[in-house]
Amino acid sequence: MALIDLSKRIALGIDVGGTNTKYGLVNHRGEILEKGSIKTDDYPEVEDFMNALYEKISPLITKYCGEKQFEGIGVGAPNANYYRGTIEQAPNLQWKGVIPFAEMMSEKFSVPCKMTNDANAAALGEMMFGAARGMKDFIMITLGTGVGSGIIANGQLIYGHDGFAGELGHTIVKPGGRKHWSTGSEGSLEAYASATGITITAKKMRAEFPHSMLNSYKEEEIDSKVVFECAQKNDEVAVEVFRYTGQKLGEAFANFVMFSSPEAILLFGGVIKAGDFIMKPTKLHMERNLLPIFRNKVKLVFSELDEADAAILGASALVWEK
Amino acid sequence: MALIDLSKRIALGIDVGGTNTKYGLVNHRGEILEKGSIKTDDYPEVEDFMNALYEKISPLITKYCGEKQFEGIGVGAPNANYYRGTIEQAPNLQWKGVIPFAEMMSEKFSVPCKMTNDANAAALGEMMFGAARGMKDFIMITLGTGVGSGIIANGQLIYGHDGFAGELGHTIVKPGGRKHWSTGSEGSLEAYASATGITITAKKMRAEFPHSMLNSYKEEEIDSKVVFECAQKNDEVAVEVFRYTGQKLGEAFANFVMFSSPEAILLFGGVIKAGDFIMKPTKLHMERNLLPIFRNKVKLVFSELDEADAAILGASALVWEK
């Protein structure tokens, strides 16, 4: 009887984005053996996309994997459904309707394929290879153009009855508040705490305060990066933009903590580059909205995964998920 | 080798309340073989309480259980911690500090003892014996003097890293809103949607509307039952009290759904007797705050367990929990 050497098992991690699709062969220790990418939007037809992907990846599998070593494929994608293995009505992809993506991949590559949304994949990646190693209860929040989330409880991803759990960016933090540019909901976390939300806040506030350094930029130049630069130069309005954002984030975090009582909230994405400008008010307003039994327990932790690799690692972790 | 007849396994379910403690011997089908109660507040010392409980229950165990049939004890109690088996700083109990309740019970009765808070126990009870049979993802909300909750995801109770998960009554639904009479937090769900919260809303609204039937009652007579009676008699202010409460409840439910995507939200407790007066606005405001992918999927279901027995059944379910 041949023993299987666990350290030699290899998975393919794929991160499907609106513009680019990144892929990498990953071993059981979370090392990326080789990676690459193709342009998602070059392929209006999903079949052509899959053929192009196979053409690129198939030689790598031959190069790195002996027999039985190639275990499977994990895919992180927007609006991906874990149970059905589908991408459903993704607004940022050209492929419309319900795409049976996992089944198509599995047939093409002759191995099992699992998929979930990008933030869930990131949470799994952090648990297996990143800052959440050893944690059984934590929440992953990605603060980028949007606000994504993945929830781990009892050591498992929470998928919910339909595979769509963990849309914390769309929870309402201010009933009747700012209208979301895409969902139309009023007062959702994403409307305030995403890079897009921060830009909106900055544009409003600079109009109120003519002395702000933010007014030395053109309207289309204002983004969260510019706000950060102004905050570093002690512009009090830019500082206030992050304080306000942190307050909304902290209030939302308090509610998340009273839901699943995580050991930590892991943060990932461009917005966290604002560091203390956003994290100090976040922490303050989280703590003050918590019941005493939850106070001073929850860690706010930055992701340890390299930003360029996190999505691939996270997706590959799906293959090894219990 | 003797086979164990599963249908003959028996558990002791105990529900510790501030005034009364109810207990019952329960078989694996959820039938209560015999039950009783003692006055919790007759015993300022927990040791005396436990002795009194043992004196009452020990004869029942002898009567109903043969050798190896008595499997264990499950306890639902306020501020109970699942991991530590403790009751911690419970404001409604006379026993102060941290009580190692499960260990004491286990020594006294010579069987394992598990415990959790009352709402978690109720959720388990519904999953094993009630309206949530067969469901793997649901949320239990108890609407009584307070608002309690238990969350089941992937077929398991969510305890969180410290055993205190599922305090949804204390999540903030209106930042800076009504101050909670006991926790001091501002705008929590419990401040609006508990029987206590409804009473506060009713007192405020009747002061604003002198023509309301609610003004024919003395201040101390106003409670959620009186509001219900007035609503049934078409008093528009009483109807508005429930509409307002339902709005807050619905907004909170939308956030819960986007967290764990449950198949159903199960409702239990005195407040749900208000029926459509509260449930119609709850449903409306839940749906309108949900992302489209979650809409018209989540069932709002009333508990099927007999109110008098639910707490005992729920506690006993801890013994059989995986």
Side-chain angles (χ1 to χ4, degrees):
Chain A
M1 196 174 87
L3 289 170
I4 297 169
D5 183 350
L6 280 182
S7 67
K8 289 192 176 159
R9 292 161 66 191
I10 289 169
L12 172 60
I14 297 180
D15 175 58
V16 179
T19 312
N20 292 300
T21 292
K22 290 177 268 182
Y23 58 81
L25 283 178
V26 183
N27 71 16
H28 202 259
R29 285 194 299 270
E31 293 156 346
I32 298 179
L33 305 174
E34 195 161 333
K35 61 185 172 181
S37 71
I38 65 171
K39 288 244 163 241
T40 317
D41 52 10
D42 277 355
Y43 306 94
E45 299 299 326
V46 66
E47 289 80 7
D48 298 336
F49 170 82
M50 221 154 266
N51 289 334
L53 210 54
Y54 186 76
E55 220 162 280
K56 285 268 208 172
I57 297 172
S58 166
L60 300 185
I61 295 172
T62 312
K63 179 175 167 191
Y64 289 98
C65 306
E67 213 185 331
K68 288 186 186 168
Q69 263 187 277
F70 183 42
E71 291 255 332
I73 305 168
V75 180
N79 285 40
N81 187 287
Y82 176 78
Y83 294 122
R84 292 196 283 274
T86 48
I87 296 177
E88 307 196 5
Q89 333 280 2
N92 302 323
L93 297 177
Q94 294 179 81
W95 318 320
K96 295 304 164 201
V98 176
I99 314 288
F101 198 89
E103 194 186 322
M104 293 171 77
M105 286 294 287
S106 181
E107 273 176 23
K108 195 86 196 165
F109 288 87
S110 307
V111 288
C113 176
K114 285 204 220 173
M115 62 192 308
T116 189
N117 75 48
D118 11 15
N120 279 347
L124 277 183
E126 292 291 343
M127 184 164 65
M128 291 205 66
F129 311 121
R133 264 169 301 191
M135 289 188 196
K136 295 184 76 177
D137 298 272
F138 69 94
I139 296 176
M140 175 96 205
I141 302 284
T142 61
L143 296 167
T145 317
V147 174
S149 65
I151 305 155
I152 302 275
N154 297 340
Q156 301 169 332
L157 256 180
I158 301 295
Y159 290 110
H161 84 289
D162 58 355
F164 287 121
E167 288 291 353
L168 300 186
H170 298 289
T171 59
I172 305 300
V173 292
K174 189 178 174 183
R178 183 182 291 173
K179 200 174 167 82
H180 190 287
W181 46 91
S182 142
T183 67
S185 71
E186 293 178 345
S188 68
L189 179 59
E190 186 167 275
Y192 298 99
S194 62
T196 320
I198 291 171
T199 303
I200 294 172
T201 304
K203 287 178 178 175
K204 280 189 177 176
M205 283 197 188
R206 75 170 191 163
E208 284 174 54
F209 298 97
H211 69 280
S212 168
M213 206 183 286
L214 289 167
N215 288 301
S216 59
Y217 293 84
K218 287 184 206 153
E219 183 79 357
E220 65 273 19
E221 287 173 341
I222 299 287
D223 62 14
S224 59
K225 197 163 152 276
V226 160
V227 181
F228 177 51
E229 284 162 10
C230 292
Q232 281 184 307
K233 291 175 193 154
N234 297 315
D235 181 69
E236 61 180 12
V237 177
V239 170
E240 174 61 16
V241 169
F242 284 121
R243 193 212 60 75
Y244 180 78
T245 308
Q247 176 170 351
K248 290 281 168 290
L249 205 50
E251 288 170 357
F253 283 6
N255 280 358
F256 303 164
V257 168
M258 292 192 281
F259 198 102
S260 69
S261 199
E263 183 178 342
I265 294 178
L266 254 78
L267 299 159
F268 184 82
V271 170
I272 64 172
K273 287 182 188 137
D276 278 355
F277 289 119
I278 191 165
M279 293 321 298
K280 281 193 171 175
T282 298
K283 173 97 178 147
L284 179 75
H285 288 278
M286 178 180 83
E287 294 293 348
R288 68 179 294 226
N289 282 286
L290 285 172
L291 278 190
I293 49 164
F294 296 107
R295 278 188 201 145
N296 302 311
K297 280 179 168 182
V298 187
K299 293 171 265 183
L300 298 183
V301 185
F302 287 170
S303 163
E304 281 179 9
L305 298 180
D306 179 84
E307 196 160 345
D309 296 342
I312 293 170
L313 286 174
S316 78
L318 273 171
V319 174
W320 291 305
E321 190 201 13
K322 265 167 235 155
Chain B
M1 197 176 86
L3 289 170
I4 297 169
D5 183 350
L6 280 181
S7 67
K8 291 194 173 156
R9 292 160 67 191
I10 289 169
L12 172 60
I14 297 180
D15 175 58
V16 179
T19 312
N20 292 301
T21 291
K22 290 177 269 183
Y23 57 82
L25 283 179
V26 182
N27 70 17
H28 202 260
R29 285 194 299 270
E31 293 156 345
I32 298 180
L33 306 174
E34 196 162 331
K35 60 185 172 180
S37 71
I38 66 172
K39 288 243 162 240
T40 318
D41 52 9
D42 277 355
Y43 305 94
E45 299 299 327
V46 66
E47 289 79 8
D48 298 337
F49 169 82
M50 221 154 264
N51 289 334
L53 209 55
Y54 186 77
E55 221 162 279
K56 286 267 208 171
I57 297 171
S58 165
L60 300 185
I61 295 171
T62 312
K63 179 174 168 190
Y64 289 98
C65 307
E67 212 185 331
K68 288 184 188 171
Q69 264 187 276
F70 184 41
E71 291 255 334
I73 305 168
V75 180
N79 286 40
N81 187 287
Y82 176 77
Y83 294 121
R84 293 195 284 274
T86 47
I87 296 176
E88 306 197 4
Q89 334 280 4
N92 303 323
L93 298 177
Q94 294 179 81
W95 318 321
K96 295 306 164 200
V98 177
I99 314 288
F101 197 89
E103 193 187 322
M104 292 171 78
M105 285 295 287
S106 180
E107 272 176 23
K108 196 86 195 167
F109 287 86
S110 307
V111 288
C113 175
K114 284 203 221 173
M115 62 193 307
T116 189
N117 75 49
D118 11 15
N120 279 346
L124 277 183
E126 293 291 343
M127 184 163 66
M128 290 204 67
F129 311 122
R133 263 170 301 190
M135 289 188 197
K136 295 184 76 176
D137 298 273
F138 69 95
I139 295 175
M140 174 96 205
I141 301 286
T142 61
L143 296 166
T145 317
V147 174
S149 66
I151 304 155
I152 303 275
N154 296 340
Q156 302 170 332
L157 256 180
I158 299 296
Y159 290 112
H161 85 289
D162 58 355
F164 287 121
E167 288 290 354
L168 300 187
H170 298 289
T171 58
I172 305 300
V173 292
K174 188 178 174 183
R178 186 181 288 174
K179 200 175 167 80
H180 189 287
W181 45 92
S182 143
T183 67
S185 71
E186 294 178 345
S188 68
L189 178 60
E190 186 166 277
Y192 298 99
S194 62
T196 319
I198 292 171
T199 304
I200 294 172
T201 304
K203 286 178 179 176
K204 279 189 178 176
M205 283 197 187
R206 75 170 190 163
E208 285 174 54
F209 298 97
H211 69 280
S212 168
M213 205 182 286
L214 289 166
N215 287 301
S216 60
Y217 294 84
K218 285 183 207 153
E219 183 80 356
E220 65 273 18
E221 286 173 340
I222 299 287
D223 61 15
S224 59
K225 197 162 153 279
V226 160
V227 181
F228 177 51
E229 285 162 10
C230 292
Q232 281 185 306
K233 290 175 194 154
N234 297 316
D235 181 68
E236 61 180 10
V237 176
V239 170
E240 174 61 17
V241 170
F242 284 122
R243 194 211 59 76
Y244 180 78
T245 308
Q247 176 170 353
K248 290 281 168 287
L249 204 50
E251 287 169 357
F253 283 7
N255 280 359
F256 303 164
V257 168
M258 292 192 281
F259 198 103
S260 68
S261 198
E263 182 178 342
I265 294 178
L266 254 78
L267 299 160
F268 183 82
V271 169
I272 64 172
K273 287 182 189 138
D276 278 355
F277 289 119
I278 191 165
M279 293 321 298
K280 281 195 171 173
T282 298
K283 173 98 178 147
L284 179 75
H285 288 278
M286 177 180 82
E287 294 293 349
R288 68 180 293 227
N289 282 286
L290 285 172
L291 278 189
I293 48 165
F294 296 108
R295 278 188 202 144
N296 302 311
K297 281 178 166 182
V298 187
K299 293 171 265 185
L300 299 183
V301 184
F302 288 170
S303 163
E304 280 179 7
L305 299 180
D306 179 84
E307 196 160 347
D309 295 341
I312 293 170
L313 286 174
S316 77
L318 274 171
V319 175
W320 290 304
E321 189 201 13
K322 267 167 234 151

